Amino acid sequence: MSVVGVLALQGDVREHLVALAEADVLARPIRRPEELAEVDGVVLPGGESTAISRLLATFELLEPLRARIAEGMPAYGSCAGMILLADEVLDGRPDQHQLGGLDIVVRRNAFGRQVDSFEAELDFTDVGDVHAVFIRAPWVEKTGEGVEVLARVPDSVEAGDAAGRIVAVRQGHVLATSFHPELTGDGRVHRFFVDMVRAAG
Ligand code: GLN
């Protein structure tokens, strides 16, 4: 059975562990480099990217995690996790570290400039209709070559500035969503990631 780790330094770790267990993998929290070495894929949870980035350095996970993602280990980031995987962040803190791996530019707290949280129905490529919950979420402002856009906020009056914004992307073995499928009890996005992990293994 595949083993998928959830970076367990800060954020909604438990919800991801539950969603992964439901997708039939062995789900384990990761706090130490030895634990990272044992997983086939990793989830970076929602939370606060600046705090997670600081803790990654403190727990000596920043370099090992960067290296494994660069070597092709599947990674999935939701919200703060998307920010960590992005090669470039707008409205970040100057001392915030990036894991990188996704050739995108994200704007941190993009939706939060209007409202703190926001919900929308999305058409997610290869997954279907998804009810998405955004909490002080980033959106993707720019994607590089090789990045596949999987979902956008649909055009509607309530969406305001968010209409049409890119909120789910994939680049090879790296997946990211601005929203939190771990909070809605809909396991399909996690299963989509688990399929990526199995395909890589
Ligand atoms: N605003 C947070 C950050 O900058 C992300 C919010 C979330 O993960 N729900 O990291």
Side-chain angles (χ1 to χ4, degrees), residues 11-43:
D12 62 349
V13 176
R14 209 182 58 86
E15 290 81 353
H16 279 288
L17 288 170
V18 170
L20 288 168
E22 284 171 358
D24 298 319
V25 290
L26 289 175
R28 291 189 188 154
I30 297 178
R31 288 187 198 85
R32 297 181 304 133
E34 303 82 70
E35 292 163 338
L36 174 65
E38 289 169 3
V39 299
D40 304 309
V42 70
V43 170

PDB file of all heavy atoms in Angstrom, residues 11-43:
ATOM      1  N   GLY A  11      -1.335  23.742  10.911  1.00  0.00           N
ATOM      2  CA  GLY A  11      -2.427  23.705   9.931  1.00  0.00           C
ATOM      3  C   GLY A  11      -3.368  22.529  10.125  1.00  0.00           C
ATOM      4  O   GLY A  11      -3.324  21.843  11.151  1.00  0.00           O
ATOM      5  N   ASP A  12      -4.215  22.308   9.127  1.00  0.00           N
ATOM      6  CA  ASP A  12      -5.277  21.299   9.292  1.00  0.00           C
ATOM      7  C   ASP A  12      -4.801  19.905   8.867  1.00  0.00           C
ATOM      8  O   ASP A  12      -5.285  19.302   7.912  1.00  0.00           O
ATOM      9  CB  ASP A  12      -6.569  21.738   8.597  1.00  0.00           C
ATOM     10  CG  ASP A  12      -6.442  21.906   7.090  1.00  0.00           C
ATOM     11  OD1 ASP A  12      -5.308  21.879   6.579  1.00  0.00           O
ATOM     12  OD2 ASP A  12      -7.486  22.046   6.433  1.00  0.00           O
ATOM     13  N   VAL A  13      -3.845  19.412   9.649  1.00  0.00           N
ATOM     14  CA  VAL A  13      -3.171  18.134   9.402  1.00  0.00           C
ATOM     15  C   VAL A  13      -4.140  16.958   9.544  1.00  0.00           C
ATOM     16  O   VAL A  13      -4.204  16.070   8.698  1.00  0.00           O
ATOM     17  CB  VAL A  13      -2.014  17.980  10.421  1.00  0.00           C
ATOM     18  CG1 VAL A  13      -1.329  16.637  10.276  1.00  0.00           C
ATOM     19  CG2 VAL A  13      -1.030  19.136  10.261  1.00  0.00           C
ATOM     20  N   ARG A  14      -4.908  16.969  10.635  1.00  0.00           N
ATOM     21  CA  ARG A  14      -5.790  15.842  10.952  1.00  0.00           C
ATOM     22  C   ARG A  14      -6.796  15.586   9.830  1.00  0.00           C
ATOM     23  O   ARG A  14      -7.033  14.451   9.434  1.00  0.00           O
ATOM     24  CB  ARG A  14      -6.533  16.146  12.257  1.00  0.00           C
ATOM     25  CG  ARG A  14      -6.904  14.926  13.073  1.00  0.00           C
ATOM     26  CD  ARG A  14      -7.680  15.378  14.310  1.00  0.00           C
ATOM     27  NE  ARG A  14      -8.879  16.125  13.919  1.00  0.00           N
ATOM     28  CZ  ARG A  14     -10.051  15.564  13.626  1.00  0.00           C
ATOM     29  NH1 ARG A  14     -10.184  14.257  13.688  1.00  0.00           N
ATOM     30  NH2 ARG A  14     -11.090  16.301  13.266  1.00  0.00           N
ATOM     31  N   GLU A  15      -7.360  16.653   9.283  1.00  0.00           N
ATOM     32  CA  GLU A  15      -8.376  16.517   8.233  1.00  0.00           C
ATOM     33  C   GLU A  15      -7.781  15.851   6.995  1.00  0.00           C
ATOM     34  O   GLU A  15      -8.435  15.044   6.345  1.00  0.00           O
ATOM     35  CB  GLU A  15      -8.947  17.893   7.869  1.00  0.00           C
ATOM     36  CG  GLU A  15      -9.819  18.535   8.938  1.00  0.00           C
ATOM     37  CD  GLU A  15      -9.054  19.232  10.063  1.00  0.00           C
ATOM     38  OE1 GLU A  15      -7.798  19.132  10.116  1.00  0.00           O
ATOM     39  OE2 GLU A  15      -9.710  19.888  10.893  1.00  0.00           O
ATOM     40  N   HIS A  16      -6.527  16.198   6.661  1.00  0.00           N
ATOM     41  CA  HIS A  16      -5.880  15.559   5.507  1.00  0.00           C
ATOM     42  C   HIS A  16      -5.587  14.090   5.792  1.00  0.00           C
ATOM     43  O   HIS A  16      -5.723  13.240   4.903  1.00  0.00           O
ATOM     44  CB  HIS A  16      -4.582  16.285   5.140  1.00  0.00           C
ATOM     45  CG  HIS A  16      -4.792  17.514   4.320  1.00  0.00           C
ATOM     46  ND1 HIS A  16      -5.173  17.476   3.001  1.00  0.00           N
ATOM     47  CD2 HIS A  16      -4.676  18.826   4.635  1.00  0.00           C
ATOM     48  CE1 HIS A  16      -5.278  18.712   2.527  1.00  0.00           C
ATOM     49  NE2 HIS A  16      -4.980  19.545   3.500  1.00  0.00           N
ATOM     50  N   LEU A  17      -5.168  13.781   7.025  1.00  0.00           N
ATOM     51  CA  LEU A  17      -4.876  12.379   7.374  1.00  0.00           C
ATOM     52  C   LEU A  17      -6.142  11.542   7.214  1.00  0.00           C
ATOM     53  O   LEU A  17      -6.097  10.427   6.677  1.00  0.00           O
ATOM     54  CB  LEU A  17      -4.338  12.282   8.806  1.00  0.00           C
ATOM     55  CG  LEU A  17      -2.911  12.820   9.011  1.00  0.00           C
ATOM     56  CD1 LEU A  17      -2.581  12.904  10.507  1.00  0.00           C
ATOM     57  CD2 LEU A  17      -1.878  11.939   8.299  1.00  0.00           C
ATOM     58  N   VAL A  18      -7.272  12.080   7.654  1.00  0.00           N
ATOM     59  CA  VAL A  18      -8.552  11.365   7.538  1.00  0.00           C
ATOM     60  C   VAL A  18      -8.896  11.168   6.059  1.00  0.00           C
ATOM     61  O   VAL A  18      -9.237  10.065   5.623  1.00  0.00           O
ATOM     62  CB  VAL A  18      -9.676  12.138   8.276  1.00  0.00           C
ATOM     63  CG1 VAL A  18     -11.047  11.546   7.963  1.00  0.00           C
ATOM     64  CG2 VAL A  18      -9.426  12.146   9.783  1.00  0.00           C
ATOM     65  N   ALA A  19      -8.806  12.229   5.263  1.00  0.00           N
ATOM     66  CA  ALA A  19      -9.166  12.141   3.839  1.00  0.00           C
ATOM     67  C   ALA A  19      -8.268  11.135   3.109  1.00  0.00           C
ATOM     68  O   ALA A  19      -8.735  10.384   2.249  1.00  0.00           O
ATOM     69  CB  ALA A  19      -9.067  13.514   3.185  1.00  0.00           C
ATOM     70  N   LEU A  20      -6.995  11.089   3.461  1.00  0.00           N
ATOM     71  CA  LEU A  20      -6.071  10.141   2.809  1.00  0.00           C
ATOM     72  C   LEU A  20      -6.372   8.712   3.223  1.00  0.00           C
ATOM     73  O   LEU A  20      -6.363   7.805   2.393  1.00  0.00           O
ATOM     74  CB  LEU A  20      -4.616  10.495   3.164  1.00  0.00           C
ATOM     75  CG  LEU A  20      -4.081  11.750   2.495  1.00  0.00           C
ATOM     76  CD1 LEU A  20      -2.760  12.164   3.139  1.00  0.00           C
ATOM     77  CD2 LEU A  20      -3.881  11.532   0.989  1.00  0.00           C
ATOM     78  N   ALA A  21      -6.651   8.506   4.507  1.00  0.00           N
ATOM     79  CA  ALA A  21      -6.971   7.152   4.979  1.00  0.00           C
ATOM     80  C   ALA A  21      -8.209   6.651   4.239  1.00  0.00           C
ATOM     81  O   ALA A  21      -8.286   5.481   3.860  1.00  0.00           O
ATOM     82  CB  ALA A  21      -7.177   7.155   6.485  1.00  0.00           C
ATOM     83  N   GLU A  22      -9.157   7.540   3.996  1.00  0.00           N
ATOM     84  CA  GLU A  22     -10.377   7.158   3.269  1.00  0.00           C
ATOM     85  C   GLU A  22     -10.088   6.842   1.802  1.00  0.00           C
ATOM     86  O   GLU A  22     -10.882   6.184   1.144  1.00  0.00           O
ATOM     87  CB  GLU A  22     -11.446   8.243   3.404  1.00  0.00           C
ATOM     88  CG  GLU A  22     -12.094   8.180   4.790  1.00  0.00           C
ATOM     89  CD  GLU A  22     -13.023   9.344   5.093  1.00  0.00           C
ATOM     90  OE1 GLU A  22     -13.157  10.244   4.236  1.00  0.00           O
ATOM     91  OE2 GLU A  22     -13.588   9.345   6.206  1.00  0.00           O
ATOM     92  N   ALA A  23      -8.954   7.347   1.302  1.00  0.00           N
ATOM     93  CA  ALA A  23      -8.569   7.063  -0.086  1.00  0.00           C
ATOM     94  C   ALA A  23      -7.665   5.826  -0.165  1.00  0.00           C
ATOM     95  O   ALA A  23      -6.991   5.607  -1.170  1.00  0.00           O
ATOM     96  CB  ALA A  23      -7.869   8.276  -0.689  1.00  0.00           C
ATOM     97  N   ASP A  24      -7.655   5.038   0.921  1.00  0.00           N
ATOM     98  CA  ASP A  24      -6.945   3.745   0.944  1.00  0.00           C
ATOM     99  C   ASP A  24      -5.439   3.830   0.780  1.00  0.00           C
ATOM    100  O   ASP A  24      -4.839   3.076   0.010  1.00  0.00           O
ATOM    101  CB  ASP A  24      -7.534   2.792  -0.122  1.00  0.00           C
ATOM    102  CG  ASP A  24      -8.984   2.506   0.157  1.00  0.00           C
ATOM    103  OD1 ASP A  24      -9.319   2.318   1.346  1.00  0.00           O
ATOM    104  OD2 ASP A  24      -9.785   2.514  -0.799  1.00  0.00           O
ATOM    105  N   VAL A  25      -4.823   4.751   1.502  1.00  0.00           N
ATOM    106  CA  VAL A  25      -3.364   4.743   1.606  1.00  0.00           C
ATOM    107  C   VAL A  25      -3.023   4.761   3.097  1.00  0.00           C
ATOM    108  O   VAL A  25      -3.886   5.049   3.931  1.00  0.00           O
ATOM    109  CB  VAL A  25      -2.699   5.976   0.936  1.00  0.00           C
ATOM    110  CG1 VAL A  25      -2.825   5.900  -0.561  1.00  0.00           C
ATOM    111  CG2 VAL A  25      -3.253   7.290   1.475  1.00  0.00           C
ATOM    112  N   LEU A  26      -1.782   4.455   3.413  1.00  0.00           N
ATOM    113  CA  LEU A  26      -1.316   4.625   4.791  1.00  0.00           C
ATOM    114  C   LEU A  26      -0.945   6.089   4.937  1.00  0.00           C
ATOM    115  O   LEU A  26      -0.057   6.578   4.230  1.00  0.00           O
ATOM    116  CB  LEU A  26      -0.098   3.742   5.063  1.00  0.00           C
ATOM    117  CG  LEU A  26      -0.362   2.244   5.144  1.00  0.00           C
ATOM    118  CD1 LEU A  26       0.953   1.490   5.292  1.00  0.00           C
ATOM    119  CD2 LEU A  26      -1.289   1.932   6.322  1.00  0.00           C
ATOM    120  N   ALA A  27      -1.649   6.793   5.800  1.00  0.00           N
ATOM    121  CA  ALA A  27      -1.426   8.231   5.960  1.00  0.00           C
ATOM    122  C   ALA A  27      -0.666   8.471   7.262  1.00  0.00           C
ATOM    123  O   ALA A  27      -1.038   7.933   8.304  1.00  0.00           O
ATOM    124  CB  ALA A  27      -2.773   8.947   6.002  1.00  0.00           C
ATOM    125  N   ARG A  28       0.417   9.232   7.164  1.00  0.00           N
ATOM    126  CA  ARG A  28       1.261   9.457   8.348  1.00  0.00           C
ATOM    127  C   ARG A  28       1.649  10.919   8.485  1.00  0.00           C
ATOM    128  O   ARG A  28       2.012  11.548   7.487  1.00  0.00           O
ATOM    129  CB  ARG A  28       2.579   8.702   8.185  1.00  0.00           C
ATOM    130  CG  ARG A  28       2.437   7.239   8.237  1.00  0.00           C
ATOM    131  CD  ARG A  28       3.838   6.665   8.286  1.00  0.00           C
ATOM    132  NE  ARG A  28       3.770   5.233   8.155  1.00  0.00           N
ATOM    133  CZ  ARG A  28       4.761   4.492   7.666  1.00  0.00           C
ATOM    134  NH1 ARG A  28       5.874   5.074   7.261  1.00  0.00           N
ATOM    135  NH2 ARG A  28       4.630   3.193   7.601  1.00  0.00           N
ATOM    136  N   PRO A  29       1.657  11.435   9.718  1.00  0.00           N
ATOM    137  CA  PRO A  29       2.165  12.794   9.917  1.00  0.00           C
ATOM    138  C   PRO A  29       3.692  12.824   9.759  1.00  0.00           C
ATOM    139  O   PRO A  29       4.360  11.853  10.103  1.00  0.00           O
ATOM    140  CB  PRO A  29       1.769  13.118  11.366  1.00  0.00           C
ATOM    141  CG  PRO A  29       1.544  11.802  12.033  1.00  0.00           C
ATOM    142  CD  PRO A  29       1.199  10.804  10.955  1.00  0.00           C
ATOM    143  N   ILE A  30       4.201  13.904   9.222  1.00  0.00           N
ATOM    144  CA  ILE A  30       5.660  14.058   9.067  1.00  0.00           C
ATOM    145  C   ILE A  30       6.137  15.274   9.863  1.00  0.00           C
ATOM    146  O   ILE A  30       5.663  16.391   9.633  1.00  0.00           O
ATOM    147  CB  ILE A  30       6.037  14.305   7.587  1.00  0.00           C
ATOM    148  CG1 ILE A  30       5.664  13.104   6.742  1.00  0.00           C
ATOM    149  CG2 ILE A  30       7.520  14.601   7.443  1.00  0.00           C
ATOM    150  CD1 ILE A  30       5.975  13.315   5.270  1.00  0.00           C
ATOM    151  N   ARG A  31       7.073  15.022  10.763  1.00  0.00           N
ATOM    152  CA  ARG A  31       7.705  16.119  11.512  1.00  0.00           C
ATOM    153  C   ARG A  31       9.224  16.062  11.443  1.00  0.00           C
ATOM    154  O   ARG A  31       9.909  16.973  11.860  1.00  0.00           O
ATOM    155  CB  ARG A  31       7.276  16.093  12.984  1.00  0.00           C
ATOM    156  CG  ARG A  31       5.856  16.522  13.194  1.00  0.00           C
ATOM    157  CD  ARG A  31       5.477  16.658  14.657  1.00  0.00           C
ATOM    158  NE  ARG A  31       4.034  16.651  14.762  1.00  0.00           N
ATOM    159  CZ  ARG A  31       3.281  15.555  14.823  1.00  0.00           C
ATOM    160  NH1 ARG A  31       3.849  14.366  14.843  1.00  0.00           N
ATOM    161  NH2 ARG A  31       1.977  15.645  14.872  1.00  0.00           N
ATOM    162  N   ARG A  32       9.757  14.912  10.989  1.00  0.00           N
ATOM    163  CA  ARG A  32      11.209  14.742  10.997  1.00  0.00           C
ATOM    164  C   ARG A  32      11.684  14.229   9.645  1.00  0.00           C
ATOM    165  O   ARG A  32      10.951  13.516   8.952  1.00  0.00           O
ATOM    166  CB  ARG A  32      11.604  13.733  12.088  1.00  0.00           C
ATOM    167  CG  ARG A  32      11.236  14.247  13.484  1.00  0.00           C
ATOM    168  CD  ARG A  32      11.639  13.256  14.565  1.00  0.00           C
ATOM    169  NE  ARG A  32      11.047  11.951  14.308  1.00  0.00           N
ATOM    170  CZ  ARG A  32      11.720  10.788  14.370  1.00  0.00           C
ATOM    171  NH1 ARG A  32      13.005  10.786  14.662  1.00  0.00           N
ATOM    172  NH2 ARG A  32      11.113   9.652  14.145  1.00  0.00           N
ATOM    173  N   PRO A  33      12.938  14.543   9.263  1.00  0.00           N
ATOM    174  CA  PRO A  33      13.468  14.083   7.979  1.00  0.00           C
ATOM    175  C   PRO A  33      13.379  12.559   7.819  1.00  0.00           C
ATOM    176  O   PRO A  33      13.106  12.071   6.718  1.00  0.00           O
ATOM    177  CB  PRO A  33      14.931  14.552   8.008  1.00  0.00           C
ATOM    178  CG  PRO A  33      14.951  15.702   8.956  1.00  0.00           C
ATOM    179  CD  PRO A  33      13.886  15.435   9.975  1.00  0.00           C
ATOM    180  N   GLU A  34      13.566  11.793   8.905  1.00  0.00           N
ATOM    181  CA  GLU A  34      13.500  10.322   8.814  1.00  0.00           C
ATOM    182  C   GLU A  34      12.100   9.891   8.395  1.00  0.00           C
ATOM    183  O   GLU A  34      11.927   8.899   7.697  1.00  0.00           O
ATOM    184  CB  GLU A  34      13.826   9.648  10.164  1.00  0.00           C
ATOM    185  CG  GLU A  34      15.179  10.012  10.745  1.00  0.00           C
ATOM    186  CD  GLU A  34      15.127  11.339  11.486  1.00  0.00           C
ATOM    187  OE1 GLU A  34      14.514  11.410  12.566  1.00  0.00           O
ATOM    188  OE2 GLU A  34      15.699  12.320  10.960  1.00  0.00           O
ATOM    189  N   GLU A  35      11.094  10.628   8.848  1.00  0.00           N
ATOM    190  CA  GLU A  35       9.715  10.270   8.484  1.00  0.00           C
ATOM    191  C   GLU A  35       9.452  10.609   7.017  1.00  0.00           C
ATOM    192  O   GLU A  35       8.760   9.879   6.315  1.00  0.00           O
ATOM    193  CB  GLU A  35       8.720  11.004   9.395  1.00  0.00           C
ATOM    194  CG  GLU A  35       8.787  10.512  10.829  1.00  0.00           C
ATOM    195  CD  GLU A  35       8.141  11.451  11.836  1.00  0.00           C
ATOM    196  OE1 GLU A  35       7.987  12.671  11.551  1.00  0.00           O
ATOM    197  OE2 GLU A  35       7.816  10.971  12.934  1.00  0.00           O
ATOM    198  N   LEU A  36      10.030  11.705   6.558  1.00  0.00           N
ATOM    199  CA  LEU A  36       9.867  12.102   5.154  1.00  0.00           C
ATOM    200  C   LEU A  36      10.463  11.033   4.229  1.00  0.00           C
ATOM    201  O   LEU A  36       9.902  10.737   3.172  1.00  0.00           O
ATOM    202  CB  LEU A  36      10.557  13.464   4.922  1.00  0.00           C
ATOM    203  CG  LEU A  36      10.593  13.943   3.475  1.00  0.00           C
ATOM    204  CD1 LEU A  36       9.185  14.222   2.957  1.00  0.00           C
ATOM    205  CD2 LEU A  36      11.464  15.194   3.350  1.00  0.00           C
ATOM    206  N   ALA A  37      11.583  10.466   4.658  1.00  0.00           N
ATOM    207  CA  ALA A  37      12.280   9.484   3.809  1.00  0.00           C
ATOM    208  C   ALA A  37      11.412   8.257   3.531  1.00  0.00           C
ATOM    209  O   ALA A  37      11.646   7.545   2.560  1.00  0.00           O
ATOM    210  CB  ALA A  37      13.591   9.077   4.478  1.00  0.00           C
ATOM    211  N   GLU A  38      10.413   8.007   4.378  1.00  0.00           N
ATOM    212  CA  GLU A  38       9.631   6.768   4.265  1.00  0.00           C
ATOM    213  C   GLU A  38       8.337   6.894   3.456  1.00  0.00           C
ATOM    214  O   GLU A  38       7.601   5.922   3.341  1.00  0.00           O
ATOM    215  CB  GLU A  38       9.279   6.266   5.667  1.00  0.00           C
ATOM    216  CG  GLU A  38      10.500   5.727   6.389  1.00  0.00           C
ATOM    217  CD  GLU A  38      10.239   5.466   7.854  1.00  0.00           C
ATOM    218  OE1 GLU A  38       9.082   5.653   8.317  1.00  0.00           O
ATOM    219  OE2 GLU A  38      11.202   5.100   8.525  1.00  0.00           O
ATOM    220  N   VAL A  39       8.031   8.097   2.946  1.00  0.00           N
ATOM    221  CA  VAL A  39       6.743   8.251   2.271  1.00  0.00           C
ATOM    222  C   VAL A  39       6.894   8.281   0.746  1.00  0.00           C
ATOM    223  O   VAL A  39       7.942   8.625   0.214  1.00  0.00           O
ATOM    224  CB  VAL A  39       5.982   9.522   2.754  1.00  0.00           C
ATOM    225  CG1 VAL A  39       5.694   9.425   4.250  1.00  0.00           C
ATOM    226  CG2 VAL A  39       6.738  10.798   2.415  1.00  0.00           C
ATOM    227  N   ASP A  40       5.801   7.913   0.068  1.00  0.00           N
ATOM    228  CA  ASP A  40       5.780   7.909  -1.403  1.00  0.00           C
ATOM    229  C   ASP A  40       5.227   9.206  -1.966  1.00  0.00           C
ATOM    230  O   ASP A  40       5.303   9.461  -3.168  1.00  0.00           O
ATOM    231  CB  ASP A  40       4.880   6.772  -1.901  1.00  0.00           C
ATOM    232  CG  ASP A  40       5.305   5.426  -1.344  1.00  0.00           C
ATOM    233  OD1 ASP A  40       6.499   5.110  -1.452  1.00  0.00           O
ATOM    234  OD2 ASP A  40       4.444   4.709  -0.788  1.00  0.00           O
ATOM    235  N   GLY A  41       4.597  10.005  -1.104  1.00  0.00           N
ATOM    236  CA  GLY A  41       4.023  11.270  -1.536  1.00  0.00           C
ATOM    237  C   GLY A  41       3.773  12.119  -0.304  1.00  0.00           C
ATOM    238  O   GLY A  41       3.789  11.609   0.820  1.00  0.00           O
ATOM    239  N   VAL A  42       3.540  13.420  -0.511  1.00  0.00           N
ATOM    240  CA  VAL A  42       3.347  14.301   0.646  1.00  0.00           C
ATOM    241  C   VAL A  42       2.225  15.300   0.390  1.00  0.00           C
ATOM    242  O   VAL A  42       2.039  15.762  -0.736  1.00  0.00           O
ATOM    243  CB  VAL A  42       4.669  15.030   1.009  1.00  0.00           C
ATOM    244  CG1 VAL A  42       5.054  16.075  -0.027  1.00  0.00           C
ATOM    245  CG2 VAL A  42       4.576  15.679   2.382  1.00  0.00           C
ATOM    246  N   VAL A  43       1.481  15.590   1.459  1.00  0.00           N
ATOM    247  CA  VAL A  43       0.459  16.631   1.408  1.00  0.00           C
ATOM    248  C   VAL A  43       0.912  17.783   2.294  1.00  0.00           C
ATOM    249  O   VAL A  43       1.367  17.576   3.425  1.00  0.00           O
ATOM    250  CB  VAL A  43      -0.912  16.090   1.893  1.00  0.00           C
ATOM    251  CG1 VAL A  43      -1.908  17.228   2.076  1.00  0.00           C
ATOM    252  CG2 VAL A  43      -1.450  15.056   0.915  1.00  0.00           C
TER     253      VAL A  43
END
